[in-house]
Amino acid sequence: MTAALVVIDMQVSLIEDETPNTDEIMSAVFRLVERARGDGVPVVWVLDTGVTPDPSLHPVFKPKPGEAVVRKDVCNAFVGTTLAGELGGRGVDRIVVCGMQSDACIDETVHAAPNYGFAVTLVGDAHTTHDFHKRDFRDVIATVNANLAKLKDVEVVGLTEVKLV
């Protein structure tokens, strides 16, 4: 299978205003991006157009020439975007997913991917969510991981176990 790393919503306002484990998620995603690039695996960046006040990709992450940047209007990164075409055009049949928010854009994109012909590897410790309303963000991540792992064509693995090639 040919993989691509899909990095979802690593945007300034989401990271700086909503993320309880900023250092952890930034490090995990950065490591995945560096591994993918080192292995020659395509990196695709997904950005949410509804993020405010600063919707830009966090400056730690800089797309390289040839890396696709896909903008979305809804949680599911396939709906109304060029994501499926960007992946298919690169011969990809498996996506490795990381980023934000676990219980929104990660969940909906992973659910949808098999319908577009893509198997999914979700990096279970490389996605996060907010802790608004006094909820335990780690419980949310664990629940999302458990639920998505039950789906056909979806596997959930840890950062140290993920295989990009």
mmCIF file of all heavy atoms in Angstrom, residues 44 68 70 77-78 81-92 116 118:
data_model
loop_
_atom_site.group_PDB
_atom_site.id
_atom_site.type_symbol
_atom_site.label_atom_id
_atom_site.label_comp_id
_atom_site.label_asym_id
_atom_site.label_seq_id
_atom_site.Cartn_x
_atom_site.Cartn_y
_atom_site.Cartn_z
ATOM 1 N N VAL A 44 0.224 15.783 3.272
ATOM 2 C CA VAL A 44 -0.899 16.617 2.852
ATOM 3 C C VAL A 44 -1.396 17.367 4.075
ATOM 4 O O VAL A 44 -1.695 16.770 5.110
ATOM 5 C CB VAL A 44 -2.038 15.767 2.237
ATOM 6 C CG1 VAL A 44 -3.213 16.650 1.859
ATOM 7 C CG2 VAL A 44 -1.526 14.988 1.027
ATOM 8 N N ALA A 68 0.688 19.142 -0.749
ATOM 9 C CA ALA A 68 -0.627 19.746 -0.960
ATOM 10 C C ALA A 68 -1.130 20.416 0.320
ATOM 11 O O ALA A 68 -0.917 19.906 1.422
ATOM 12 C CB ALA A 68 -1.627 18.680 -1.400
ATOM 13 N N VAL A 70 -4.826 21.585 1.577
ATOM 14 C CA VAL A 70 -6.249 21.463 1.257
ATOM 15 C C VAL A 70 -7.035 22.266 2.284
ATOM 16 O O VAL A 70 -6.831 22.119 3.492
ATOM 17 C CB VAL A 70 -6.674 19.976 1.303
ATOM 18 C CG1 VAL A 70 -8.172 19.829 1.112
ATOM 19 C CG2 VAL A 70 -5.907 19.173 0.263
ATOM 20 N N ALA A 77 -12.769 16.187 5.970
ATOM 21 C CA ALA A 77 -11.819 16.806 5.051
ATOM 22 C C ALA A 77 -12.002 16.377 3.598
ATOM 23 O O ALA A 77 -11.364 16.948 2.709
ATOM 24 C CB ALA A 77 -10.393 16.510 5.502
ATOM 25 N N PHE A 78 -12.858 15.408 3.343
ATOM 26 C CA PHE A 78 -13.108 14.977 1.966
ATOM 27 C C PHE A 78 -14.248 15.765 1.313
ATOM 28 O O PHE A 78 -14.283 15.888 0.091
ATOM 29 C CB PHE A 78 -13.446 13.477 1.923
ATOM 30 C CG PHE A 78 -12.260 12.598 2.186
ATOM 31 C CD1 PHE A 78 -12.029 12.077 3.448
ATOM 32 C CD2 PHE A 78 -11.361 12.287 1.174
ATOM 33 C CE1 PHE A 78 -10.932 11.265 3.697
ATOM 34 C CE2 PHE A 78 -10.247 11.487 1.408
ATOM 35 C CZ PHE A 78 -10.040 10.971 2.684
ATOM 36 N N THR A 81 -13.756 19.298 -1.003
ATOM 37 C CA THR A 81 -12.335 19.646 -1.117
ATOM 38 C C THR A 81 -11.673 18.826 -2.223
ATOM 39 O O THR A 81 -12.295 17.946 -2.814
ATOM 40 C CB THR A 81 -11.576 19.362 0.201
ATOM 41 O OG1 THR A 81 -11.434 17.949 0.380
ATOM 42 C CG2 THR A 81 -12.268 19.982 1.405
ATOM 43 N N THR A 82 -10.398 19.070 -2.397
ATOM 44 C CA THR A 82 -9.600 18.330 -3.374
ATOM 45 C C THR A 82 -8.820 17.182 -2.736
ATOM 46 O O THR A 82 -7.958 16.589 -3.396
ATOM 47 C CB THR A 82 -8.599 19.281 -4.061
ATOM 48 O OG1 THR A 82 -7.726 19.839 -3.052
ATOM 49 C CG2 THR A 82 -9.311 20.407 -4.806
ATOM 50 N N LEU A 83 -9.112 16.851 -1.474
ATOM 51 C CA LEU A 83 -8.305 15.863 -0.759
ATOM 52 C C LEU A 83 -8.240 14.521 -1.482
ATOM 53 O O LEU A 83 -7.145 13.980 -1.689
ATOM 54 C CB LEU A 83 -8.810 15.681 0.674
ATOM 55 C CG LEU A 83 -8.012 14.687 1.527
ATOM 56 C CD1 LEU A 83 -6.546 15.084 1.625
ATOM 57 C CD2 LEU A 83 -8.641 14.558 2.913
ATOM 58 N N ALA A 84 -9.372 13.966 -1.863
ATOM 59 C CA ALA A 84 -9.362 12.655 -2.530
ATOM 60 C C ALA A 84 -8.540 12.705 -3.812
ATOM 61 O O ALA A 84 -7.773 11.781 -4.107
ATOM 62 C CB ALA A 84 -10.783 12.173 -2.813
ATOM 63 N N GLY A 85 -8.666 13.779 -4.577
ATOM 64 C CA GLY A 85 -7.901 13.924 -5.808
ATOM 65 C C GLY A 85 -6.413 14.095 -5.552
ATOM 66 O O GLY A 85 -5.581 13.539 -6.274
ATOM 67 N N GLU A 86 -6.070 14.870 -4.527
ATOM 68 C CA GLU A 86 -4.654 15.047 -4.170
ATOM 69 C C GLU A 86 -4.028 13.706 -3.797
ATOM 70 O O GLU A 86 -2.902 13.405 -4.199
ATOM 71 C CB GLU A 86 -4.502 16.028 -3.006
ATOM 72 C CG GLU A 86 -4.884 17.452 -3.319
ATOM 73 C CD GLU A 86 -3.897 18.176 -4.214
ATOM 74 O OE1 GLU A 86 -2.812 17.637 -4.508
ATOM 75 O OE2 GLU A 86 -4.213 19.305 -4.629
ATOM 76 N N LEU A 87 -4.756 12.909 -3.032
ATOM 77 C CA LEU A 87 -4.245 11.599 -2.621
ATOM 78 C C LEU A 87 -4.189 10.633 -3.798
ATOM 79 O O LEU A 87 -3.177 9.982 -4.033
ATOM 80 C CB LEU A 87 -5.116 11.031 -1.493
ATOM 81 C CG LEU A 87 -5.111 11.828 -0.184
ATOM 82 C CD1 LEU A 87 -6.223 11.343 0.736
ATOM 83 C CD2 LEU A 87 -3.757 11.760 0.490
ATOM 84 N N GLY A 88 -5.282 10.547 -4.531
ATOM 85 C CA GLY A 88 -5.332 9.645 -5.680
ATOM 86 C C GLY A 88 -4.289 9.992 -6.727
ATOM 87 O O GLY A 88 -3.675 9.108 -7.321
ATOM 88 N N GLY A 89 -4.064 11.275 -6.936
ATOM 89 C CA GLY A 89 -3.061 11.725 -7.904
ATOM 90 C C GLY A 89 -1.646 11.348 -7.517
ATOM 91 O O GLY A 89 -0.746 11.334 -8.356
ATOM 92 N N ARG A 90 -1.453 11.030 -6.262
ATOM 93 C CA ARG A 90 -0.142 10.606 -5.769
ATOM 94 C C ARG A 90 -0.075 9.084 -5.622
ATOM 95 O O ARG A 90 0.876 8.555 -5.081
ATOM 96 C CB ARG A 90 0.154 11.283 -4.429
ATOM 97 C CG ARG A 90 0.433 12.779 -4.552
ATOM 98 C CD ARG A 90 0.413 13.472 -3.185
ATOM 99 N NE ARG A 90 0.927 14.834 -3.242
ATOM 100 C CZ ARG A 90 0.281 15.879 -3.728
ATOM 101 N NH1 ARG A 90 -0.944 15.714 -4.217
ATOM 102 N NH2 ARG A 90 0.820 17.079 -3.742
ATOM 103 N N GLY A 91 -1.120 8.398 -6.086
ATOM 104 C CA GLY A 91 -1.142 6.940 -6.020
ATOM 105 C C GLY A 91 -1.357 6.383 -4.623
ATOM 106 O O GLY A 91 -1.042 5.225 -4.349
ATOM 107 N N VAL A 92 -1.913 7.191 -3.743
ATOM 108 C CA VAL A 92 -2.103 6.809 -2.345
ATOM 109 C C VAL A 92 -3.337 5.928 -2.189
ATOM 110 O O VAL A 92 -4.383 6.197 -2.782
ATOM 111 C CB VAL A 92 -2.236 8.077 -1.469
ATOM 112 C CG1 VAL A 92 -2.698 7.751 -0.056
ATOM 113 C CG2 VAL A 92 -0.931 8.850 -1.458
ATOM 114 N N TYR A 116 -13.978 6.674 0.295
ATOM 115 C CA TYR A 116 -13.260 7.263 -0.837
ATOM 116 C C TYR A 116 -12.148 6.337 -1.335
ATOM 117 O O TYR A 116 -11.346 6.726 -2.175
ATOM 118 C CB TYR A 116 -12.678 8.625 -0.444
ATOM 119 C CG TYR A 116 -13.730 9.695 -0.287
ATOM 120 C CD1 TYR A 116 -14.429 9.840 0.913
ATOM 121 C CD2 TYR A 116 -14.063 10.545 -1.339
ATOM 122 C CE1 TYR A 116 -15.404 10.813 1.066
ATOM 123 C CE2 TYR A 116 -15.037 11.520 -1.200
ATOM 124 C CZ TYR A 116 -15.706 11.645 0.011
ATOM 125 O OH TYR A 116 -16.679 12.603 0.153
ATOM 126 N N PHE A 118 -9.749 4.763 0.683
ATOM 127 C CA PHE A 118 -8.507 4.838 1.440
ATOM 128 C C PHE A 118 -8.597 4.062 2.736
ATOM 129 O O PHE A 118 -9.519 4.266 3.526
ATOM 130 C CB PHE A 118 -8.148 6.296 1.758
ATOM 131 C CG PHE A 118 -8.019 7.150 0.532
ATOM 132 C CD1 PHE A 118 -9.032 8.013 0.161
ATOM 133 C CD2 PHE A 118 -6.895 7.060 -0.279
ATOM 134 C CE1 PHE A 118 -8.937 8.788 -0.978
ATOM 135 C CE2 PHE A 118 -6.786 7.831 -1.423
ATOM 136 C CZ PHE A 118 -7.805 8.692 -1.778
#
